[in-house]
Amino acid sequence: MLIVLLAFRNIVGAGLRTWLNVFVLSVAFLAIVWNQGFINGMAEQMMKEMVDTELGGGQYWHRAYDPYDPLTLEDARGSLPAPLADLVSAGKAAAVLIASGAIFPEGRLQTTLLKGIEPGQRIVNIPSASLEAGEGDPIPALIGARMARQTRLKVGDTVTIRWRDMHGTFDAADIRIVHIMNTNVPSVDSGQVWLPLARLREMLQAPGQATLLVLKKQTVSVASGDPRWVYRDLDYLLKEVREIIKNKSVGSSIFYLLLLGMALLAVFDGQVLAVFRRHKEIGTLMALGMPRGTVIGLFTLEGALHGVMAVLVGALYGIPLLVYSAHKGMAVPEIAGNMGVAVSSTLYPSYGLGLVVGTTLVVLAAVTVVSFLPTRRISKLKPTDVMRGKLA
């Protein structure tokens, strides 16, 4: 306890130099927590949006389906086996049929994906209820806000679409835009037109067929009983999102190292200066019988206390800033929504206990190590030499 009190007295007695080191360390600590909090918040928001709007509790894919290769769509459809059809009947899954097509807004040709979904489904957060309509034409259609901007379509507009059925015959029909949905998930919006599932099956002459099946959240998967249908869990479906977040975290780590390195350099220089300027104190303590290890521990503890004080000072002005940022969030440029990731217009950070505790331990460990390095030379000094100022 005496050593702790002595170390605290020494660093407080250093005055402005101590508080400058503490402030720089606190800024580094707060910046790491703040930046990583936004990365964690982005990851949570992206995954939640995708699960709610597109992925559900997992999906069954037709074996030939490749979401990045539209040329496979003609072969990537088939009838649902009995176990999967039972899930649809029980309201635990929703079938989606996907086909390549073209749309002609204002006479311009634009390729698109035609997606059929049951209007009454409650599996994913898509306003498919707006697709409820009679058998007449034009066919009701649902598009997203991005697609509306791309095609300059609005609710009530009628436009022509073209497709090829499963027998290779091209056909065309008019659709009427009945709803424009606002979603943060580009993969259900950009370049896509949603139609009633029954109408799309009729158009493609593919009765009872689907491309994929979306499970309701927290629904246990079942064996499909058909090798053509493959189950994709959320780990598989969210793999790319996790890779994006991982790469983002790695890039941010470089920023963390630079910021923390500058703060640690100040502590290191301070410790070197302390050992040089306080040689008489070191020699006196050693001459009075204090073990070399204790003297080294005293100087190391002084440096480590910089980290403790930095955490406390950082908490004083950091907690209000973090609370404010968590409440207000950070506006995301509109262009980010066109990059293929589910990012909302406002990004809210996530400051978990693990993030705060982990960052605190990393900062304290780094400060302790940096504080110990300049004090190692004390173990090789003789008390008489130190008191004469001979430190080499």
Side-chain angles (χ1 to χ4, degrees):
M1 187 64 182
L2 179 62
I3 295 298
V4 176
L5 294 176
L6 182 59
F8 183 76
R9 189 204 66 179
N10 289 338
I11 65 171
V12 172
L16 183 60
R17 177 167 55 85
T18 293
W19 292 110
L20 285 176
N21 289 339
V22 168
F23 177 72
V24 173
L25 273 173
S26 68
V27 170
F29 169 74
L30 184 62
I32 293 173
V33 173
W34 184 84
N35 194 57
Q36 192 60 41
F38 272 101
I39 293 177
N40 293 344
M42 180 176 66
E44 293 178 5
Q45 285 181 245
M46 288 173 61
M47 290 189 286
K48 184 179 185 303
E49 290 280 356
M50 294 184 67
V51 168
D52 291 344
T53 307
E54 181 183 18
L55 305 181
Q59 296 181 346
Y60 287 90
W61 289 5
H62 190 280
R63 183 174 293 277
Y65 176 59
D66 183 349
Y68 301 108
D69 187 1
L71 298 179
T72 65
L73 292 178
E74 291 187 8
D75 300 321
R77 64 175 74 113
S79 300
L80 294 174
L84 302 187
D86 291 342
L87 289 176
V88 175
S89 301
K92 296 181 179 180
V96 177
L97 179 61
I98 308 175
S100 296
I103 190 171
F104 296 85
E106 301 177 348
R108 297 176 289 106
L109 170 65
Q110 180 174 329
T111 59
T112 186
L113 290 179
L114 305 178
K115 290 189 173 183
I117 192 170
E118 281 289 350
Q121 64 84 27
R122 297 292 184 270
I123 307 302
V124 290
N125 188 24
I126 292 176
S128 56
S130 59
L131 297 175
E132 293 279 4
E135 293 296 327
D137 290 324
I139 303 169
L142 165 70
I143 61 175
R146 294 176 182 83
M147 183 63 171
R149 289 194 296 269
Q150 293 168 5
T151 57
R152 295 196 286 272
L153 292 171
K154 56 184 182 297
V155 174
D157 285 351
T158 300
V159 65
T160 301
I161 60 170
R162 186 188 67 188
W163 69 92
R164 187 167 67 173
D165 64 26
M166 63 182 302
H167 302 296
T169 303
F170 284 96
D171 203 348
D174 288 337
I175 61 172
R176 186 181 71 256
I177 307 301
V178 296
H179 188 81
I180 295 177
M181 63 177 172
N182 290 310
T183 176
N184 297 321
V185 184
S187 53
V188 299
D189 180 348
S190 184
Q192 301 179 30
V193 175
W194 292 84
L195 306 172
L197 179 60
R199 295 297 296 270
L200 185 56
R201 283 172 170 172
E202 180 183 343
M203 292 159 55
L204 297 177
Q205 298 185 26
Q209 295 193 1
T211 302
L212 59 88
L213 194 74
V214 184
L215 289 180
K216 188 176 182 179
K217 287 190 292 186
Q218 299 179 348
T219 298
V220 179
S221 62
V222 298
S224 65
D226 188 335
R228 294 178 300 172
W229 289 90
V230 182
Y231 177 66
R232 307 295 191 189
D233 60 15
L234 291 180
D235 288 337
Y236 179 89
L237 297 172
L238 292 172
K239 181 179 179 180
E240 291 185 358
V241 175
R242 293 194 173 101
E243 286 295 326
I244 292 174
I245 299 302
K246 181 180 178 181
N247 293 336
K248 181 67 175 176
S249 297
V250 171
S252 298
S253 297
I254 300 175
F255 167 73
Y256 301 158
L257 291 175
L258 291 175
L259 190 61
L260 187 58
M262 289 187 292
L264 294 177
L265 181 61
V267 175
F268 181 83
D269 289 343
Q271 288 294 92
V272 172
L273 181 62
V275 172
F276 177 77
R277 295 181 60 183
R278 295 164 58 188
H279 58 273
K280 290 186 178 181
E281 177 186 345
I282 295 173
T284 301
L285 292 175
M286 296 173 64
L288 291 175
M290 181 176 285
R292 296 175 187 272
T294 305
V295 177
I296 294 174
L298 173 63
F299 279 80
T300 303
L301 182 58
E302 290 179 13
L305 286 176
H306 284 84
V308 176
M309 294 175 65
V311 172
L312 297 177
V313 171
L316 288 178
Y317 69 86
I319 290 178
L321 291 176
L322 296 180
V323 171
Y324 178 80
S325 65
H327 177 68
K328 291 293 185 179
M330 180 176 62
V332 178
E334 185 177 350
I335 191 174
N338 299 323
M339 298 177 64
V341 293
V343 179
S344 63
S345 58
T346 303
L347 189 62
Y348 293 94
S350 175
Y351 303 116
L353 180 62
L355 170 62
V356 177
V357 173
T359 305
T360 301
L361 294 177
V362 169
V363 171
L364 292 179
V367 172
T368 302
V369 171
V370 169
S371 302
F372 168 75
L373 294 177
T375 64
R376 292 181 301 172
R377 63 192 306 178
I378 296 176
S379 63
K380 301 178 181 179
L381 300 178
K382 296 180 180 180
T384 53
D385 292 338
V386 176
M387 295 183 71
R388 290 199 303 266
K390 185 177 179 181
L391 300 178

